[in-house]
């Protein structure tokens, strides 16, 4: 997974949403005891931003790939990043839950059998009673197409997305993403009300489109059948012409689900 794409997505959405944690996450910060964890840390950008906002709390990141994260020597005080073998294995480092907030993100390619339940249970085991889980995930199971001129045909973008959906299982199942609020509720979390799907303004669409194409490029090189990969790259080249010449883009909504552990 491209660290530049992940970083670009994070900065784009942070700039648009204007929050690091959803407003439904009610923080009662006592610096000497307040602890935050992130599952799916990747680049570490969110941890670093949280450390700027709340410099006196403990912030711990968990990631299966720390190659894009800062080395320990470059992290702020009270910030750690721990490499783990899996997000579905037990991540709790203490017998008692220690975290007031657990944020989860960027796990779309890491969920098996279309069921993120083991990740939710892991997060709940880390979470103090009364604490919050926030899960942010791009809904790449439901790409959309936006046209600056509604009268133009987007047939080449539709053909590209059809091929992506037919072979996207190579990157892992994604059908669970839209159901994240229901999944949190199924495991006993009190799901916080309000909007859970967000869409970027059209002014950001070209940057978002570039991120989508970068993910498709990664997919094309991971397909077992080389001919399928070549066909995907051919479809990408044709669709890119329409993006550049006709003002068409591929988009993906951000799903944000917040649940509170009430026991």
């Amino acid at each position: 997974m491209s660290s530049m794409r992940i970083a670009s997505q994070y900065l784009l959405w942070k700039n648009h949403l204007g929050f690091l944690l959803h407003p439904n996450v009610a923080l009662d910060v006592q610096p000497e005891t307040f602890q935050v964890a992130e599952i799916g840390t990747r680049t570490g950008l969110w941890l670093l931003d949280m450390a700027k906002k709340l410099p006196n709390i403990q912030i711990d990141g968990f990631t299966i790939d720390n190659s894009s994260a800062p080395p320990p020597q470059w992290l702020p005080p009270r910030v750690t990043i721990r490499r783990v073998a899996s997000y579905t294995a037990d991540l709790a480092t203490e017998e008692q839950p220690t975290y007031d907030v657990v944020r989860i993100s960027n796990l779309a390619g890491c969920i098996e059998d279309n069921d993120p339940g083991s990740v939710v249970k892991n997060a709940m085991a880390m979470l103090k009673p009364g604490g919050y889980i926030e899960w942010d995930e791009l809904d790449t199971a439901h790409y959309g197409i936006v046209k600056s001129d509604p009268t133009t045909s987007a047939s080449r973008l539709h053909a590209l997305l059809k091929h992506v959906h037919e072979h996207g299982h190579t990157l892992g199942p994604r059908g669970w993403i839209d159901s994240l609020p229901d999944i949190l509720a199924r495991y006993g979390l009190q799901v916080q009300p309000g909007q859970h799907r967000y869409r970027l303004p059209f002014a950001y669409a070209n940057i978002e489109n570039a991120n989508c194409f970068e993910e498709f490029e990664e997919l094309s090189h991971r397909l077992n059948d080389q001919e399928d990969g070549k066909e995907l790259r051919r479809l990408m080249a044709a669709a890119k012409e329409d993006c550049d010449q006709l003002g068409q883009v591929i988009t993906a909504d951000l799903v944000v689900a917040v649940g509170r552990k009430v026991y």
Side-chain angles (χ1 to χ4, degrees), residues 4 47 49 102 104 117 129 136 155 162 206 209 211-212 229 239 245:
M4 288 299 294
L47 298 181
D49 282 338
V102 177
I104 310 170
D136 301 357
S155 59
K162 181 175 183 293
N206 282 336
N209 188 62
N211 285 334
C212 291
Q245 297 175 12

Side-chain angles (χ1 to χ4, degrees), residues 33-227:
T33 60
F34 199 86
Q35 298 189 59
V36 174
E38 183 185 38
I39 299 174
T41 295
R42 304 288 185 182
T43 62
L45 287 176
W46 184 83
L47 298 181
L48 297 174
D49 282 338
M50 279 297 291
K52 289 179 183 177
K53 183 176 181 180
L54 299 170
N56 297 316
I57 68 170
Q58 181 65 38
I59 308 173
D60 300 319
F62 300 84
T63 181
I64 59 173
D65 179 6
N66 62 355
S67 60
S68 300
Q73 299 90 332
W74 296 352
L75 292 173
R78 307 194 71 177
V79 175
T80 71
I81 296 177
R82 174 184 163 196
R83 186 174 182 180
V84 296
S86 168
Y87 297 124
T88 59
D90 185 9
L91 299 180
T93 57
E94 305 288 343
E95 291 186 6
Q96 298 296 322
T98 58
Y99 293 103
D100 298 273
V101 177
V102 177
R103 178 184 187 259
I104 310 170
S105 66
N106 295 323
L107 265 60
C110 306
I111 300 299
E112 298 179 358
D113 301 322
N114 213 38
D115 180 12
S118 58
V119 177
V120 177
K121 288 189 286 187
N122 264 343
M124 291 181 68
M126 302 162 68
L127 195 65
K128 297 176 185 176
Y132 291 86
I133 291 175
E134 176 177 329
W135 195 324
D136 301 357
E137 202 73 50
L138 276 182
D139 188 5
T140 50
H142 301 96
Y143 287 109
I145 295 173
V146 176
K147 302 185 292 183
S148 60
D149 181 352
T151 65
T152 58
S153 169
S155 59
R156 296 206 283 188
L157 270 70
H158 283 293
L160 170 60
L161 290 183
K162 181 175 183 293
H163 197 79
V164 168
H165 286 307
E166 288 174 352
H167 298 88
H169 61 274
T170 303
L171 296 176
R174 311 288 175 99
W176 52 272
I177 297 173
D178 186 48
S179 302
L180 273 174
D182 294 334
I183 292 168
L184 295 188
R186 189 186 310 154
Y187 285 89
L189 291 162
Q190 185 183 74
V191 175
Q192 303 302 291
Q195 182 180 0
H196 79 276
R197 292 188 73 90
Y198 295 87
R199 184 164 295 174
L200 286 169
F202 292 155
Y204 295 164
N206 282 336
I207 304 173
E208 184 183 19
N209 188 62
N211 285 334
C212 291
F213 270 78
E214 186 170 338
E215 182 170 28
F216 301 159
E217 179 73 21
E218 295 168 20
L219 171 60
S220 76
H221 293 288
R222 292 176 62 175
L223 293 175
N224 293 328
D225 188 325
Q226 291 187 354
E227 291 304 315

